[in-house]
Amino acid sequence: MESNLVRTDMDQLPSLLENFSLLREKALSYIQQTASATWTDHNIHDPGITIMEALCYALADVGFRMNFPMQDLIVDNTGTLPEKAFYYPKDILPCHAVTIHDFRKLLIDLPLIKNAWITPILDHQEGITLDYDPMYVYKKDGVLLLEKDIKDLAIPQHEKDDLLANAGIFLKGLYAISIEFESQPLLGSIDSSESFEGVYEKDFFGDIYYDIGNWTELLNDRFALSQIAKCYAANPKDVTIVINNSPKNKYNNNDGKLDDRVLREWYYELEIFCTGQLVFTMKEVLFQPFLGKDAGIAGKDLKLLLTKNDFGFFSTVFKKVQALSSAYTDIYTVLNQNRNVCEDFLRQIAAIPTVDFRICADIDVENNADIEQMQAEIFHRIEEYISPTIPFYSFDELMAKGKSIEQILEGPLLKHGFILEEEMGENSFRNFTINLSDIINAIFETKGLINCRNVQLSLTDEDGQKIDNANMWELTVPSGMKPVLNKRKSKFIFYKNELPLRPNFKESIIKLNFLNINSVKYPDNKIPAPSLNPTYRDLALHFSLADEFPATYRIGRNFPDEFVHQPEFFSSRQLEGYLLLFEQLI
């Protein structure tokens, strides 16, 4: 029968060893189980019991010594620990990235990256473009050929066709990377190109809002981003823009005098040149003026404002391009520094394609409510619902949550703190749904709100057309796309004592940028070093087990030197030798 002591967790063993009564009880139980037929006298006068009690006492002493902290066990009498006696947790517990979650953590830890998804390429998956030339096995020569090389083979065409149809190979160990960028305090949302630029001219004072229609295309073109960023950093004047009218303004040009018209919305196509070379064309760039009480702006005046100061008006766009180019460099660096053997990542890192999400609602608020602040908070809560920010924790915060040091330091060590895997969400962005009830709950968390009525949600395609959805309570987002709240096209009417009010859009966006500051990552990966404070215990001081026996046993300190050569005491020496076995084990 196995004893409770044997089954006890090893961490509790030293404290149990200190319990002399427990040890004696367990030892006696063993004797009764194994030698009950030949050993019946278990009283304290029995020599066997005496030996047993001496052994239990010695074990209790060992348990007492084992319970000292490790630093007390190895410190010398001057209070000095051996050099490199201990490794700190931060040096031995973290490891290089191994799992997909590990690599996601490394990417999310980078500046500008809000979330990242890593998809193993298991076959020719829909929506993922392989960025390497197809390869085929030409069995006659036992070689691999690229598709373009097959046409040069001196074989009949039907053999070439058969080779292309049946001998293709698929590379395994590749991963596709999809990135979601985070908002910045000054630049705003990186996923979106919308922004306000200030205009301070003699006849025009205020702001112009703009939004680039094919911004996602530029996000996914890291080579164009790199060219523009390098050229702009070297000399901003080397980056030039040519403004062309967009087909979207055609309906206002029936008399050929488009630039003379005063409009509230203008669309242009902007060709970006670096040192005279066309790098990228921004299409359907919307401009909307907020210039005092003017209803709009003439096309010729808008072009003049845009071209002044060498397109300094577009400084925010160029700063975003520089930030994105730097982010892509960081992504490639960290992936290649940590990738595993026989694994690689597709060169084309993709920003997730987006679809417009719009919301309209009537909102009753308290009389003292700041409706611009409330609209900003509602925008912020809806965006957090669509794409929650993955929180970073400090070491102390996770310890307060009950996490062990081993759990906290599992995986790669990050620069901005620690991430809990259970809060990272699934490694997939392909199945977005928006629930009306969740949106309403998010709105109701806004301070100062009384009621929320007539909430309507919609998704729109690239042409601004509403995407049909049969279920009014749940919007199904097209596969592989991420919904992005179109704040300009969303409409909130706030009511104070049934009086309808429209908030100032520009002020709401400014306040929203301040709310987004709380989502920015700040470095906090400090791991406190343990305080050792060792105490010297002189644990080398040792007394023989034989010294604990009564004097009648004539062993240990009770064995006089003059008895060494007397034959009648040889049995005492034999007992002492027998006890040496236990002393060595202990």
Side-chain angles (χ1 to χ4, degrees):
M1 179 179 178
E2 189 179 24
S3 73
N4 293 331
L5 181 59
V6 174
R7 296 196 303 269
T8 301
D9 190 282
M10 289 300 294
D11 291 338
Q12 302 177 16
L13 187 57
S15 59
L16 292 175
L17 284 177
E18 289 187 66
N19 191 334
F20 172 79
S21 298
L22 176 64
L23 293 173
R24 187 185 186 283
E25 176 187 343
K26 296 301 178 184
L28 188 58
S29 175
Y30 287 139
I31 293 172
Q32 291 171 344
Q33 293 174 35
T34 58
S36 58
T38 57
W39 188 353
T40 58
D41 186 359
H42 300 149
N43 294 307
I44 58 175
H45 64 265
D46 186 279
I49 299 299
T50 302
I51 295 175
M52 180 196 75
E53 290 180 343
L55 290 174
C56 291
Y57 179 79
L59 285 173
D61 179 68
V62 171
F64 174 73
R65 294 173 183 239
M66 288 173 64
N67 258 341
F68 287 128
M70 179 56 69
Q71 58 267 29
D72 290 2
L73 300 181
I74 62 176
V75 71
D76 63 21
N77 57 359
T78 66
T80 304
L81 289 170
E83 185 178 359
K84 296 183 180 179
F86 296 103
Y87 288 100
Y88 289 110
K90 67 177 182 180
D91 297 325
I92 60 172
L93 292 180
C95 65
H96 287 288
V98 177
T99 67
I100 285 180
H101 275 312
D102 289 343
F103 282 95
R104 288 184 65 199
K105 287 180 182 179
L106 288 174
L107 294 178
I108 296 169
D109 188 44
L110 293 173
L112 278 182
I113 308 303
K114 182 177 182 179
N115 208 340
W117 294 270
I118 302 178
T119 306
I121 308 299
L122 303 177
D123 51 31
H124 295 280
Q125 299 184 44
E126 180 184 358
I128 297 178
T129 303
L130 301 179
D131 57 3
Y132 64 88
D133 293 331
M135 290 181 287
Y136 301 85
V137 180
Y138 187 42
K139 296 182 179 178
K140 288 185 179 180
D141 292 339
V143 296
L144 286 177
L145 294 175
L146 297 178
E147 184 177 13
K148 62 184 180 181
D149 298 328
I150 294 178
K151 66 180 182 181
D152 297 328
L153 291 176
I155 58 176
Q157 184 61 41
H158 72 275
E159 289 189 24
K160 294 181 181 181
D161 295 338
D162 182 65
L163 184 60
L164 292 172
N166 302 308
I169 66 167
F170 184 81
L171 294 180
K172 294 185 177 181
L174 293 174
Y175 296 85
I177 309 297
S178 301
I179 298 294
E180 180 182 9
F181 296 96
E182 67 180 4
S183 296
Q184 295 295 293
L186 298 179
L187 297 180
S189 173
I190 305 296
D191 279 339
S192 170
S193 63
E194 61 180 1
S195 184
F196 280 94
E197 291 283 359
V199 179
Y200 310 104
E201 299 294 336
K202 180 180 178 182
D203 298 322
F204 301 98
F205 188 88
D207 299 276
I208 293 182
Y209 169 88
Y210 62 83
D211 190 9
I212 301 170
N214 63 337
W215 181 249
T216 301
E217 182 183 341
L218 180 58
L219 283 183
N220 288 331
D221 192 342
R222 66 185 181 93
F223 299 105
L225 290 171
S226 177
Q227 282 184 274
I228 298 172
K230 289 179 180 178
C231 187
Y232 189 79
N235 185 0
K237 293 185 178 181
D238 288 339
V239 181
T240 56
I241 303 177
V242 174
I243 303 177
N244 299 310
N245 289 329
S246 169
K248 278 203 167 187
N249 289 324
K250 278 184 176 179
Y251 67 93
N252 288 304
N253 196 29
N254 51 6
D255 55 1
K257 298 181 178 180
L258 179 63
D259 282 350
D260 293 329
R261 295 190 183 281
V262 176
L263 302 177
R264 286 292 298 160
E265 291 186 354
W266 284 95
Y267 288 90
Y268 291 115
E269 292 191 355
L270 308 181
E271 294 178 333
I272 311 297
F273 289 83
C274 292
T275 59
Q277 180 182 0
L278 178 64
V279 176
F280 190 80
T281 300
M282 297 179 178
K283 298 179 180 180
E284 295 185 4
V285 185
L286 164 69
F287 293 94
Q288 182 176 358
F290 290 85
L291 304 172
K293 297 181 180 179
D294 293 339
I297 189 172
K300 58 184 179 182
D301 293 329
L302 177 57
K303 288 182 179 179
L304 180 63
L305 292 175
L306 293 178
T307 55
K308 276 195 172 185
N309 303 318
D310 297 316
F311 290 93
F313 180 87
F314 249 39
S315 60
T316 298
V317 171
F318 292 127
K319 288 176 183 176
K320 284 187 178 182
V321 167
Q322 287 180 304
L324 288 166
S325 179
S326 176
Y328 278 124
T329 300
D330 291 342
I331 290 170
Y332 274 97
T333 299
V334 75
L335 288 177
N336 286 306
Q337 284 177 342
N338 292 274
R339 72 182 181 90
N340 296 312
V341 177
C342 298
E343 293 185 345
D344 205 351
F345 305 91
L346 297 183
R347 289 173 294 177
Q348 181 56 52
I349 296 175
I352 302 175
T354 61
V355 60
D356 261 11
F357 164 57
R358 304 178 184 182
I359 178 172
C360 299
D362 297 329
I363 300 174
D364 299 309
V365 299
E366 298 174 356
N367 290 336
N368 61 346
D370 181 343
I371 59 174
E372 283 77 21
Q373 180 67 32
M374 291 192 67
Q375 178 164 269
E377 290 184 11
I378 291 173
F379 284 158
H380 182 70
R381 293 182 187 280
I382 292 175
E383 288 181 332
E384 279 296 305
Y385 163 72
I386 295 174
S387 178
T389 298
I390 298 174
F392 281 77
Y393 296 97
S394 68
F395 184 88
D396 292 337
E397 287 173 335
L398 290 185
M399 290 293 288
K401 284 179 171 285
K403 299 293 182 180
S404 66
I405 295 179
E406 292 80 6
Q407 290 175 316
I408 296 173
L409 298 181
E410 183 179 7
L413 196 60
L414 309 179
K415 295 180 180 178
H416 294 95
F418 305 90
I419 298 175
L420 294 177
E421 286 193 6
E422 58 264 30
E423 296 182 357
M424 292 176 64
E426 295 183 6
N427 182 39
S428 173
F429 60 89
R430 298 186 173 275
N431 296 303
F432 274 99
T433 56
I434 302 174
N435 294 299
L436 177 59
S437 58
D438 292 336
I439 295 292
I440 293 174
N441 289 336
I443 294 175
F444 263 97
E445 293 178 2
T446 308
K447 185 178 180 181
L449 183 140
I450 297 175
N451 194 17
C452 179
R453 302 175 283 110
N454 304 325
V455 183
Q456 296 182 3
L457 310 178
S458 64
L459 297 172
T460 57
D461 58 22
E462 294 180 354
D463 298 323
Q465 300 298 316
K466 183 177 179 180
I467 299 175
D468 292 332
N469 196 82
N471 187 350
M472 64 172 291
W473 289 97
E474 182 178 271
L475 291 182
T476 301
V477 180
S479 178
M481 304 189 77
K482 184 191 77 172
V484 173
L485 178 64
N486 188 326
K487 294 177 277 292
R488 190 177 65 89
K489 292 293 185 179
S490 295
K491 182 179 179 181
F492 293 114
I493 299 179
F494 292 85
Y495 290 86
K496 292 184 177 181
N497 290 330
E498 300 183 359
L499 177 66
L501 301 169
R502 290 292 302 273
N504 183 289
F505 179 66
K506 175 193 168 185
E507 288 187 28
S508 293
I509 296 300
I510 293 174
K511 293 178 183 291
L512 176 61
N513 288 338
F514 281 106
L515 292 175
N516 287 333
I517 292 176
N518 296 326
S519 301
V520 177
K521 300 186 284 278
Y522 296 100
D524 190 5
N525 64 346
K526 295 180 181 178
I527 304 171
S531 179
L532 299 178
N533 298 322
T535 301
Y536 178 64
R537 304 285 182 177
D538 195 16
L539 297 175
L541 183 62
H542 174 73
F543 297 98
S544 171
L545 181 61
D547 291 346
E548 305 301 329
F549 278 74
T552 55
Y553 282 79
R554 301 284 184 166
I555 62 175
R557 62 186 175 184
N558 296 310
F559 189 81
D561 292 339
E562 60 269 21
F563 294 164
V564 171
H565 302 294
Q566 298 183 26
E568 61 266 29
F569 294 110
F570 283 174
S571 58
S572 296
R573 298 301 289 174
Q574 288 175 336
L575 175 58
E576 195 166 332
Y578 169 73
L579 294 175
L580 284 176
L581 171 65
F582 296 98
E583 290 204 21
Q584 290 300 312
L585 290 176
I586 292 173

